[in-house]
Amino acid sequence: MDKYVIDRGEPLRGTAFISGSKNAASCPLMCAILLAETPTVLENVPDLRDIRSMKLVLEHLNARVEHGNNRLVIDPTDFDTDWVPYEMMSQMRASMYAFGPMIARQRRAAVSKPGGCNIGSRPIDLHLKGFRALGVEMVERAGYVHARHNGMVGSEMSLLGANGPSVGATCNVLMAAALAQGRTIIHGAAREPEVQELARFLNAMGARISGIGSATLTIDGVESLHGTTWRVMPDRIEAATFAVAALITDGDLLLRGVDPGDMGATLTELLRWGAEITVMQEDQALRVRRMPGQTPEPLDLVTGPFPELATDVQPLFAALLGITPGLSRIEDRIYQDRFLYLAELNRLGGQFAQVGNAATIRGVRGYDGAAIMASDLRAGAALTLAALAARGQSTVRRIYHVERGYEQFERKLAALGARIRREAEAEATPRPPAPWEDARESAMGLAAVADEVAPA
Ligand code: EPZ
């Protein structure tokens, strides 16, 4: 296993090229292709572990997949398999997105029920509710969910759950309803840009979906769908990650290949923090740096369904607020337990605590390098950004989480001036120097260093 070794470097500067969206490409789009009877070409596909995992799922279902140069060609002509085993689901919980297409095209389907993960409990009741509303019989047995029907019929339903709409359930029901008989109306639909992307993609394949971008989607079922050629939308979470990278290192970045229209809540909060953001909509670009002469402000944030602040950017904001003077708070209303990484930020000298479904943050003057460990994808990115701003050297372990969703993360950061490299994980790390053995401290005197690390 590899780790990142990160030394504090210069502020990041230059142009960051943002990849195609993982959360659009790796699940809804790749799975939706199974609904068609002819091949599809996807362009601007990021080269990620999640894309490679989903390729294995599609191959298991007997689709043919060619992948290279940020392009996927998927031929679903021989798609005939109707189940996803435990081993695949446990590797790639987004395999759940294949359930809708399997139900629609095979009439019989079974998937291993996905378990929880490091960001909390992740139920699938809304997926099942939606399929049932289309006339599909659903039975849970021995860790699997089995489905069967003799022709799905459109109906009116609400997919609103206790935590709001569900991206996955909306996508799954949208895919199945595209081939159901008659009209389906989904109330309480998720409005995330990736759901909108799926709806537009399905329409390009011959589906008839209206209300895209609203909380009510209307789907008029069609007999069959055909393949198409499609360019995957920009990754709004990767763009947010590089925006925070610019701010946390006091740098100045131009982000290219973004859609600022999808990033409203993130940009609003970064502006409130004290960022200067220049939007170049027609060039699909954003320039991000600290507002000259302005002291960054602590924030009180709440995540929610789109267009509210995305839960996926929550750890990135936490890393930034950890070194912003004053008291900040982030409440996560989507995933209440998405805070495992706070203990790692505390290892860098941060002052974070979890209180219920919120993080409270007392900003310190700076992080100190240490060995830390990623617990999930966005947490891994946030820890990497914190390490870029930390004094001294840090190592970030379990970076396979990061590689699930960031294309060439360390190379992109290094191209902007970050001192980050990848190394094989050693068996043991060397004994750290005591404060009185540290050359820097002998030169400055212990009292000066103690003052430097004192909380703001
Ligand atoms: C998608 O997950 C994303 N994953 C997540 O990104 C993202 O955090 C999440 O949407 C929210 O935006 C992919 O696109 C692969 P949900 P998904 O169904 O579809 C509850 C990342 O890091 N719920 O919208 O699984 C659920 O518990 C990943 O890139 C039910 O109650 O999320 C949560 O509180 C992590 N019943 C809320 O709804 C259900 O049947 C939203 O979940 C389904 C969900």
Side-chain angles (χ1 to χ4, degrees):
M1 275 197 287
D2 285 355
K3 64 182 177 191
Y4 293 147
V5 180
I6 300 170
D7 288 283
R8 184 188 208 160
E10 295 297 310
L12 299 193
R13 291 190 195 286
T15 302
F17 295 91
I18 303 304
S19 300
S21 161
K22 166 189 103 71
N23 283 352
S26 73
C27 14
L29 298 191
M30 285 179 79
C31 290
I33 291 169
L34 295 170
L35 293 165
E37 291 175 9
T38 52
T40 282
V41 179
L42 284 185
E43 289 164 353
N44 198 32
V45 178
D47 188 10
L48 304 171
R49 216 155 63 84
D50 269 10
I51 296 285
R52 292 188 284 276
S53 303
M54 189 53 88
K55 175 175 185 275
L56 294 178
V57 175
L58 296 189
E59 285 170 345
H60 157 80
L61 297 174
N62 256 350
R64 263 176 291 157
V65 186
E66 288 168 34
H67 184 202
N69 297 326
N70 294 110
R71 196 166 179 268
L72 272 172
V73 183
I74 301 178
D75 182 352
T77 318
D78 299 328
F79 165 40
D80 61 358
T81 307
D82 65 359
W83 75 297
V84 177
Y86 172 75
E87 293 70 20
M88 270 181 172
M89 187 61 82
S90 54
Q91 279 286 315
M92 178 70 178
R93 81 182 324 282
S95 310
M96 188 64 199
Y97 283 74
F99 207 16
M102 282 193 291
I103 290 174
R105 299 245 7 241
Q106 310 298 344
R107 293 185 168 224
R108 300 280 180 280
V111 294
S112 163
K113 211 174 154 184
C117 71
N118 287 351
I119 61 175
S121 117
R122 305 195 51 188
I124 57 165
D125 56 308
L126 298 171
H127 300 243
L128 308 193
K129 178 183 176 193
F131 293 136
R132 283 196 179 106
L134 296 176
V136 183
E137 184 186 342
M138 313 287 307
V139 179
E140 295 184 43
R141 176 171 298 175
Y144 278 79
V145 186
H146 297 264
R148 67 172 180 179
H149 65 92
N150 287 315
M152 292 179 298
V153 181
S155 75
E156 192 161 351
M157 66 184 85
S158 166
L159 289 183
L160 206 55
N163 294 340
S166 157
V167 172
T170 306
C171 289
N172 242 334
V173 177
L174 200 54
M175 290 190 277
L179 288 179
Q181 219 179 66
R183 174 167 284 191
T184 299
I185 300 178
I186 306 177
H187 298 287
R191 299 164 60 194
E192 268 67 5
E194 295 77 17
V195 178
Q196 299 181 33
E197 170 96 340
L198 171 66
R200 292 194 189 97
F201 178 67
L202 288 169
N203 280 350
M205 294 166 76
R208 292 170 56 205
I209 300 168
S210 57
I212 299 173
S214 79
T216 303
L217 293 170
T218 303
I219 307 115
D220 287 301
V222 296
E223 289 271 304
S224 64
L225 296 171
H226 53 77
T228 186
T229 297
W230 190 263
R231 188 173 169 81
V232 177
M233 64 184 280
D235 194 314
R236 63 190 172 111
I237 310 298
E238 190 197 12
T241 306
F242 278 89
V244 173
L247 299 172
I248 206 168
T249 63
D250 199 3
D252 185 346
L253 291 182
L254 185 68
L255 314 185
R256 280 212 177 277
V258 300
D259 186 345
D262 287 343
M263 299 176 66
T266 296
L267 299 184
T268 302
E269 297 304 346
L270 291 178
L271 287 170
R272 283 180 56 217
W273 177 83
E276 182 185 70
I277 297 174
T278 315
V279 176
M280 290 158 260
Q281 188 84 44
E282 61 286 2
D283 297 331
Q284 290 206 309
L286 275 181
R287 183 183 173 193
V288 185
R289 60 173 182 159
R290 292 188 187 184
M291 180 73 80
Q294 189 172 321
T295 310
E297 295 281 340
L299 296 174
D300 195 342
L301 303 175
V302 180
T303 70
F306 189 83
E308 294 170 45
L309 190 70
T311 171
D312 292 347
V313 302
Q314 178 258 98
L316 308 170
F317 271 95
L320 183 62
L321 294 171
I323 51 168
T324 301
L327 278 179
S328 293
R329 183 176 177 275
I330 312 181
E331 181 179 339
D332 197 325
R333 294 206 179 144
I334 304 294
Y335 293 117
Q336 278 81 0
D337 290 325
R338 198 172 194 172
F339 291 112
L340 276 180
Y341 68 90
L342 296 182
E344 301 299 300
L345 287 177
N346 283 341
R347 286 178 57 76
L348 296 180
Q351 293 204 0
F352 295 84
Q354 182 177 352
V355 182
N357 67 336
T360 59
I361 305 163
R362 179 182 292 277
V364 295
R365 287 195 204 159
Y367 293 125
D368 277 307
I372 46 179
M373 190 184 281
S375 51
D376 73 78
L377 166 59
R378 308 300 171 190
L383 294 176
T384 305
L385 300 190
L388 289 178
R391 287 176 285 252
Q393 191 173 80
S394 302
T395 52
V396 183
R397 301 199 306 159
R398 304 206 175 157
I399 59 170
Y400 53 83
H401 287 296
V402 179
E403 291 173 344
R404 278 190 39 224
Y406 287 90
E407 185 173 34
Q408 304 204 337
F409 195 42
E410 84 277 13
R411 285 198 202 167
K412 285 190 185 184
L413 288 170
L416 302 170
R419 290 171 64 200
I420 178 170
R421 62 180 196 279
R422 232 186 133 89
E423 266 183 16
E425 270 185 24
E427 291 299 311
T429 46
R431 174 185 176 282
W436 43 88
E437 294 164 351
D438 189 319
R440 185 176 63 112
E441 291 175 18
S442 325
M444 293 169 69
L446 271 180
V449 175
D451 179 52
E452 196 186 334
V453 297

